Amino acid sequence: MGNGLYFSATDGTQRGLWRTDFSTTLRLASGPQYQSCSFATAGPANLATTAYVATLGGGESGSARAVWQTRGTPGTTRLITRLPPGRFPAHLTTVGRRVFAGVETPGGDDFRHAVLCLDAFRNTVTHPLKDLDRLSGFADLHGRAVFGGAIGDRGHVWVSDGTRSGTHRLLTLPRYLGLNPDGFTTFRIPGSTTAVAFHAHDLGAGDELWITDGTTRNTRRFVDVSPGPASSGPFALWADPKGGIWWTAHDGKHGFEPWRLDRHGWRMLGDLVPPGPGTASSYPMAGVSTAAGYVFLADDGIHGHEPWVTNGTAAGTRILIDTVPGAIGSEATGLLAFRDGVLIGGKSKLWYFDGTTTRLLLSFIHDPSWPEPLKASAVTHGVAYFLARTNSHDPLSLWRSDGTAAGTRPVRLASGPTQPAPIELCAVGDTIFFTTQTE
């Protein structure tokens, strides 16, 4: 993060916050029963501020949490605000030079949320920025945060520069939006500007895709995929780095299928499920953008849940590989953008799609405790690192791949016959960090 790696660890006596710049490792803060941290960094590398949430205390019921700030040295590590037991900072999100978070407070069967903002340059914290009954996450729009939530039964969308006076309501709807934390997606409108997409429900058109450019005037329902009061239920929003956005929706005729917005307008890419009675769905899930197009996972009812690729046209949308022949089985569990293509992780296999062909790189042992080999993965210098088990008697091991079968091989971490068992991977600049588990 910023100009180094921050992590939570114990030195055998106390757990605390540490930082390494790859040559020096410093303990920034520690204390009795210092349990865990979550992080978000704001600002350029030479002035980066990292906000983190530290958990203090023994056990969830009696634990207290506090928001801290650091610039990477013990002297710049300071307490921002301490929260009473039972309050949980969550969804730390970097927005320009600021870090936003929602502070959850248990109440009845649900949580209330107070929005908090840390300004990295002014060293100020605004808390609460806004009090909500429910929070729907944050998106960065030109250095301002767009977020949604509920007050009572009504849904609202706000834009904020991190101050109370600079927080403005963009939209009020008669029903709560009900979004998950990543429900707001920033994307570039082809030939136009940057906007934030989200789904919202109004009485006249149901649950549909909306967009905002940060102004009340231009916060509007963008499409009505399922005309009239019926809902298309958009989900799996994915911003295309080349411009535009992908999402999954139901138009009332074809089930949940892939949709696309680009410079040609918005449209359904095609009904992946062959014609037949009813409105069966392929349920495309958010994927990755590659030089050859957008790669995603979907089920056409014939091949099972498999990887597909599209160039944005119906004619250019096709299945990449049937990992397990037949309509029921499937190997595919995850995707990782890599070079100009995508790595496709399976329960016991790894493939690479280079934009033209799909080839098998590795077969390994199916491990029910680790069903997704790309769950912990990192890429640096055109090499992908991931975890896999190729022998039932050995633990998970670290592997590397350059996209070829010959260049996919294990990484030895020690000179002896017993190798450490990696658990997590993290790429920081040109360096791969990982944690290991030893007996």
Side-chain angles (χ1 to χ4, degrees):
M1 291 182 172
N3 54 354
L5 174 71
Y6 293 89
F7 58 97
S8 174
T10 180
D11 62 359
T13 59
Q14 290 185 338
R15 176 171 288 275
L17 176 72
W18 297 72
R19 175 185 176 274
T20 180
D21 61 2
F22 323 132
S23 62
T24 303
T25 300
L26 293 174
R27 180 166 57 190
L28 305 180
S30 63
Q33 298 173 310
Y34 192 109
Q35 293 179 334
S36 61
C37 292
S38 56
F39 306 94
T41 296
N46 61 333
L47 293 174
T49 283
T50 292
Y52 69 98
V53 177
T55 303
L56 298 159
E60 284 298 308
S61 60
S63 64
R65 289 170 173 82
V67 180
W68 294 67
Q69 174 189 7
T70 183
R71 290 189 187 274
T73 65
T76 60
T77 302
R78 68 186 184 100
L79 175 69
I80 294 296
T81 182
R82 188 181 297 272
L83 304 172
R87 291 179 178 256
F88 308 95
H91 312 319
L92 267 72
T93 305
T94 299
V95 178
R97 72 184 193 188
R98 303 173 183 90
V99 174
F100 286 80
V103 180
E104 298 178 346
T105 305
D109 296 330
D110 210 336
F111 287 88
R112 289 186 57 83
H113 292 82
V115 177
L116 174 151
C117 177
L118 167 66
D119 191 307
F121 288 169
R122 296 178 181 176
N123 291 330
T124 59
V125 63
T126 304
H127 177 234
L129 183 67
K130 181 67 67 175
D131 280 313
L132 308 173
D133 291 323
R134 291 178 291 277
L135 174 68
S136 299
F138 304 95
D140 186 344
L141 182 62
H142 302 303
R144 296 189 298 166
V146 175
F147 61 95
I151 299 178
D153 294 331
R154 292 181 176 270
H156 306 271
V157 177
W158 288 270
V159 62
S160 177
D161 65 1
T163 66
R164 293 188 180 96
S165 62
T167 301
H168 307 287
R169 186 162 52 195
L170 299 174
L171 176 68
T172 296
L173 292 167
R175 289 180 58 182
Y176 170 55
L177 285 73
L179 295 172
N180 53 40
D182 59 355
F184 287 82
T185 303
T186 304
F187 73 104
R188 180 172 55 84
I189 300 176
S192 182
T193 185
T194 300
V196 171
F198 57 96
H199 67 80
H201 188 106
D202 67 13
L203 298 180
D207 194 4
E208 298 290 350
L209 188 70
W210 289 59
I211 64 170
T212 181
D213 65 357
T215 66
T216 303
R217 178 180 179 180
N218 292 321
T219 300
R220 59 190 175 88
R221 183 177 67 249
F222 189 73
V223 297
D224 190 2
V225 169
S226 184
S231 297
S232 69
F235 69 96
L237 278 63
W238 183 267
D240 190 334
K242 301 174 184 176
I245 194 169
W246 310 86
W247 77 97
T248 297
H250 189 309
D251 67 355
K253 301 176 181 178
H254 303 94
F256 285 96
E257 299 296 342
W259 291 73
R260 165 76 170 158
L261 164 66
D262 58 21
R263 61 187 178 86
H264 300 295
W266 61 275
R267 63 198 178 280
M268 186 176 73
L269 291 180
D271 189 358
L272 304 189
V273 179
T279 56
S281 301
S282 65
Y283 292 108
M285 303 305 295
V288 298
S289 294
T290 72
Y294 179 64
V295 179
F296 59 95
L297 298 177
D299 186 349
D300 65 356
I302 298 175
H303 302 94
H305 193 65
E306 301 290 4
W308 289 65
V309 64
T310 179
N311 62 2
T313 67
T317 302
R318 61 183 176 86
I319 189 170
L320 275 181
I321 184 174
D322 189 3
T323 60
V324 175
I328 299 178
S330 175
E331 270 275 353
T333 58
L335 306 170
L336 176 67
F338 179 55
R339 297 192 171 187
D340 291 331
V342 59
L343 288 172
I344 303 167
K347 299 173 185 177
S348 61
K349 291 180 174 65
L350 181 72
W351 295 266
Y352 178 58
F353 170 62
D354 62 8
T356 304
T357 60
T358 303
R359 54 181 175 268
L360 179 66
L361 301 182
L362 178 68
S363 295
F364 45 88
I365 300 297
H366 172 52
D367 184 350
S369 67
W370 192 261
E372 301 178 28
L374 299 179
K375 179 180 179 180
S377 57
V379 176
T380 185
H381 285 303
V383 176
Y385 294 84
F386 60 96
L387 305 180
R389 186 197 305 268
T390 56
N391 188 310
S392 59
H393 303 292
D394 294 332
L396 283 170
S397 57
L398 180 65
W399 285 71
R400 56 168 286 160
S401 178
D402 62 1
T404 68
T408 302
R409 60 182 186 273
V411 178
R412 290 192 60 82
L413 303 177
S415 58
T418 302
Q419 296 292 302
I423 303 173
E424 301 177 40
L425 301 178
C426 178
V428 180
D430 298 334
T431 306
I432 298 289
F433 288 86
F434 56 89
T435 58
T436 64
Q437 178 175 324
T438 57
E439 296 296 333

